[in-house]
């Protein structure tokens, strides 16, 4: 029901003018055709064929025009396990995960989408490209392709004798400014002209009203946005003619544009790379279950590690082997009591392509990171982050646990000598952690002001540093490895810093904690939302407050 209901909105959102529905059931196809007022191409195929398509899509993640309505689209877990958590419904899964819409469409939006599909049926016939990309292994838009397209256009019209408009403020438009720099470019037309910056200094940027002023006898328009067919359709209604004075330059150099033999060759090579890595590791560990942690971040494996004990006891009768992609992740696994092996990020990516195709059950493997994108495509789970937290996502999607885990005993060394060595007061020391690889750093001025005033309040203040990082002015700099940092914070009394994996590792502390986020990260990685720390903690982000306000609130908290 949900699939049929949201199909029109899905088509409008992604600018698809037609759909081909494959199924192994004539009954399903008849039901869809009878309930939806859209012209669909339908085809009966075998169940094995459908499963093969799904495995290939699930493995490579770059078949952007293939969508599946089963429970593991483009992910390694079962999305349906999220239903019933907070306000997540089946409609959420279908609309936001499978169809990648940013919200559940309203009835009026669905009606508008149906009207759009009806009005744009003719657009489906506009599919001519000036330069076919099927003979070019193009993995990114570059000037070489734009130059080739210009040569083809010049077979039709003398571009130097025409005025040129570019439609859409895009990367392709920027390249056209160089490639057509010897021509008379009048400017760029964009629907968001009021809020956009010009693509280049000295180039005019017009709103859509400029379309009414185009003289198709003297002007040509190069359409560079992704909805190029729709734009061409509208321009033809204004008197233009495709491939005479309207040219489509929306390059789609993705895997969908390859010839069949190219595509099959690419798929085979991708699978072979991963197969070699997998087989090599299987020779060393023939019976063990592979627990794969592809994300380098230390906090990610900490959250996954909360569920290791339960999962291993239930699912790893032949033993297990944890694979990570960074020394930091290995260290975190170690303090949780688990040995792990570091492999390169490329090897992990390639192996996961093969494992996804073969199947996790067949290969006795598990991807333990719910936040890991497939190849260059972001994970669809990201669309549900407004109501999910990172811990719950792992609990339900990855490990299928009935209970949300929030604490694990970590192996820690005694930090007493550090307090003596640096003259720090137990129970009255604040550890500053102002640096983060992901979210940026606390501004030096704000950190120094906070440190100075904390010292005036009677605290000892130190800065956690690594590599070439510098201690905040007026503080003691010290390096705290993962195998001692929790013990240190427990005895210090407080920690302040930018959200990073360090805060996952010390989240079980009873010490006070002030954590700063970017707004986009807080809903997912909030320690409070994840239930990792719910007492003696404040969480803020500089998107909502100035740093002066954050400093004042932090000082009041301590």
């Amino acid at each position: 029901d949900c699939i049929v209901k949201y199909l029109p909105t899905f088509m409008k959102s992604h600018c698809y003018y037609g759909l081909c529905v494959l199924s192994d059931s004539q009954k399903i196809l008849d039901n869809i055709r009878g309930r939806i007022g859209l012209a669909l191409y339908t085809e009966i195929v075998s169940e094995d064929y459908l499963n093969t398509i799904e495995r290939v899509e699930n493995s490579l993640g770059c078949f952007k025009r293939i969508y599946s309505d089963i429970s593991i689209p483009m992910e390694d877990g079962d999305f349906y396990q999220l239903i019933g958590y907070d306000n997540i419904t089946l409609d959420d899964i279908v609309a936001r995960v499978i169809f990648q819409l940013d919200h559940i469409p309203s009835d009026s939006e669905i009606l508008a989408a149906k009207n759009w599909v009806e009005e744009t049926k003719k657009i489906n016939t506009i599919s001519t490209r000036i330069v076919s990309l099927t003979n070019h292994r193009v993995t990114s838009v570059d000037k070489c392709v734009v130059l080739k397209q210009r040569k083809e256009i010049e077979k039709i019209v003398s571009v130097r004798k025409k005025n040129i408009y570019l439609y859409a403020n895009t990367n392709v438009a920027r390249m056209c400014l160089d490639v057509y720099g010897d021509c008379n470019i009048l400017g760029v037309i964009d629907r968001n002209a009021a809020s956009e910056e010009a693509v280049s200094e000295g180039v005019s940027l017009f709103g859509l009203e400029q379309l009414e002023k185009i003289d198709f006898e003297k002007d040509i328009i190069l359409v560079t946005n992704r909805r190029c067919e729709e734009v061409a359709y509208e321009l033809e209604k204004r008197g233009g003619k495709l491939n005479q004075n309207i040219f489509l330059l929306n390059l789609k150099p993705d895997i969908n544009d390859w010839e069949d033999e190219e595509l099959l060759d690419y798929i085979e090579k991708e699978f072979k790379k991963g197969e070699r890595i997998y087989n090599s590791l299987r020779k060393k560990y023939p019976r063990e279950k592979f627990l794969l942690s592809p994300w380098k971040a230390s906090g990610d494996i900490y959250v996954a590690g909360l569920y290791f004990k339960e999962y291993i006891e239930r699912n790893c009768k032949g033993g297990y082997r944890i694979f990570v992609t960074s020394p930091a992740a290995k260290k975190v696994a170690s303090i949780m009591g688990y040995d792990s092996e570091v492999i390169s990020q490329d090897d992990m990516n390639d192996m996961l392509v093969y494992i996804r195709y073969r199947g996790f059950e067949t290969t006795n493997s598990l991807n333990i990171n719910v936040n890991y994108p497939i190849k260059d495509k972001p994970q669809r789970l990201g669309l549900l982050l407004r109501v999910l937290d990172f811990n719950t996502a792992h609990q339900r999607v990855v490990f299928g646990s009935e209970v949300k885990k929030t604490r694990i005993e970590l192996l820690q060394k005694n930090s007493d000598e550090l307090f003596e060595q640096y003259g720090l007061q137990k129970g009255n020391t604040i550890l500053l952690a102002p640096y983060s690889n992901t979210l940026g750093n606390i501004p030096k001025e704000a950190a120094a002001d906070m440190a100075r005033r904390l010292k005036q309040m009677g605290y000892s203040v130190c800065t956690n540093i690594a590599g070439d990082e510098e201690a905040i002015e007026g503080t003691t700099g010290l390096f705290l490895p993962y195998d001692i940092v929790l013990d240190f914070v427990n005895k210090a009394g407080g920690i302040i810093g930018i959200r990073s994996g360090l805060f996952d590792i010390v989240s079980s502390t009873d010490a006070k904690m002030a954590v700063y986020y970017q707004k986009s990260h807080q809903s997912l990685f909030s320690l409070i939302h994840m239930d990792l720390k719910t007492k003696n903690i404040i969480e803020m982000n500089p998107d909502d407050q100035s740093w002066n306000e954050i400093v004042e609130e932090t000082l009041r908290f301590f």
Side-chain angles (χ1 to χ4, degrees), residues 78-198:
D78 184 351
F79 282 123
Y80 289 157
Q81 293 186 85
L82 297 176
I83 294 174
Y85 176 79
D86 282 358
N87 59 334
I88 296 178
T89 64
L90 179 60
D91 291 77
D92 281 296
I93 302 298
V94 173
R96 299 166 68 180
V97 178
I98 295 177
F99 284 159
Q100 298 190 66
L101 306 174
D102 59 10
H103 64 282
I104 298 176
S106 64
D107 290 342
S108 60
E109 288 174 312
I110 293 172
L111 179 60
K114 287 182 177 180
N115 292 335
W116 177 87
V117 173
E118 289 298 318
E119 291 170 2
T120 56
K121 281 181 179 178
K122 292 181 181 179
I123 297 175
N124 197 30
T125 63
I126 303 177
S127 58
T128 305
R129 291 292 184 274
I130 302 306
V131 175
S132 172
L133 296 175
T134 56
N135 297 321
H136 306 287
R137 281 288 185 92
V138 183
T139 56
S140 63
V141 177
D142 56 34
K143 290 181 183 177
C144 176
V145 178
V146 178
L147 279 165
K148 287 177 180 178
Q149 290 192 324
R150 174 171 174 171
K151 290 179 181 179
E152 295 299 318
I153 291 173
E154 287 179 334
K155 294 177 182 179
I156 301 170
V157 62
S158 176
V159 294
R160 289 186 184 179
K161 295 182 180 179
K162 296 286 187 177
N163 302 318
I164 298 176
Y165 284 103
L166 302 174
Y167 184 95
N169 189 357
T170 64
N171 288 333
V172 182
R174 292 175 177 86
M175 292 177 193
C176 287
L177 292 176
D178 289 337
V179 173
Y180 294 84
D182 58 336
C183 302
N184 184 29
I185 299 178
L186 297 180
V188 178
I189 299 173
D190 195 281
R191 67 174 62 249
N192 298 315
S195 59
E196 295 282 348
E197 294 182 1

Side-chain angles (χ1 to χ4, degrees), residues 160-427:
R160 289 186 184 179
K161 295 182 180 179
K162 296 286 187 177
N163 302 318
I164 298 176
Y165 284 103
L166 302 174
Y167 184 95
N169 189 357
T170 64
N171 288 333
V172 182
R174 292 175 177 86
M175 292 177 193
C176 287
L177 292 176
D178 289 337
V179 173
Y180 294 84
D182 58 336
C183 302
N184 184 29
I185 299 178
L186 297 180
V188 178
I189 299 173
D190 195 281
R191 67 174 62 249
N192 298 315
S195 59
E196 295 282 348
E197 294 182 1
V199 292
S200 178
E201 186 176 350
V203 176
S204 299
L205 188 60
F206 302 105
L208 294 184
E209 66 278 359
Q210 190 69 21
L211 293 176
E212 303 297 335
K213 302 177 183 179
I214 292 179
D215 182 347
F216 287 108
E217 293 295 324
K218 301 176 182 178
D219 307 333
I220 63 174
I221 183 164
L222 308 180
V223 182
T224 70
N225 77 329
R226 71 182 183 91
R227 293 178 177 264
C228 54
E229 294 97 337
E230 184 177 354
V231 174
Y233 177 66
E234 293 299 324
L235 289 172
E236 284 196 327
K237 291 197 294 187
R238 287 176 165 85
K241 188 70 175 178
L242 186 65
N243 295 338
Q244 288 186 17
N245 40 43
I246 304 167
F247 298 96
L248 309 184
L249 304 190
N250 179 34
L251 309 182
K252 296 182 179 178
D254 59 37
I255 203 167
N256 301 292
D257 298 304
W258 293 0
E259 296 281 10
D260 289 346
E261 290 185 3
E262 276 191 305
L263 180 58
L264 293 173
D265 179 57
Y266 169 77
I267 291 172
E268 183 179 9
K269 287 180 178 178
E270 287 294 300
F271 290 162
K272 287 292 184 184
K273 286 192 297 184
E275 184 180 26
R276 286 192 294 269
I277 298 162
Y278 172 80
N279 287 340
S280 174
L281 293 173
R282 268 291 167 228
K283 287 180 181 178
K284 294 171 63 177
Y285 312 107
R287 298 182 65 248
E288 290 85 348
K289 185 151 196 171
F290 287 179
L291 305 183
L292 308 173
S293 181
W295 210 252
K296 293 182 178 182
S298 52
D300 291 45
I301 192 167
Y302 177 87
V303 174
L306 296 172
Y307 299 92
F308 281 174
K309 185 175 186 296
E310 174 190 345
Y311 184 85
I312 289 169
E313 289 176 353
R314 193 173 66 237
N315 299 283
C316 302
K317 304 303 181 184
Y320 66 94
R321 191 65 185 167
I322 300 171
F323 294 97
V324 297
T325 57
S326 72
K330 180 177 176 64
K331 290 175 184 176
V332 176
S334 177
I335 63 173
M336 291 189 295
Y338 299 97
D339 189 24
S340 61
E341 185 171 330
V342 179
I343 64 176
S344 73
Q345 187 70 64
D346 287 342
D347 283 353
M348 179 69 80
N349 291 343
D350 291 338
M351 182 164 62
L352 273 169
V353 166
Y354 173 71
I355 286 174
R356 286 192 178 99
Y357 179 73
R358 287 286 311 282
F360 283 91
E361 185 174 344
T362 302
T363 56
N364 195 24
S365 305
L366 177 73
N367 174 12
I368 63 175
N369 194 302
V370 76
N371 199 42
Y372 180 64
I374 300 172
K375 285 290 186 177
D376 60 347
K377 184 158 187 166
Q379 72 281 5
R380 296 188 187 183
L381 184 61
L383 297 169
L384 285 176
L385 298 188
R386 296 174 191 171
V387 290
L388 275 179
D389 66 79
F390 198 50
N391 190 1
T392 299
H394 277 82
Q395 172 206 340
R396 295 214 171 196
V397 176
V398 178
F399 295 100
S401 174
E402 294 295 323
V403 180
K404 188 175 184 179
K405 305 295 197 305
T406 60
R407 185 162 296 202
I408 186 173
E409 293 295 324
L410 300 181
L411 302 175
Q412 291 285 286
K413 296 177 182 177
N414 192 313
S415 63
D416 287 351
E417 289 185 7
L418 290 175
F419 287 89
E420 295 179 10
Q421 178 181 350
Y422 293 101
L424 303 172
Q425 308 170 50
K426 284 187 179 180

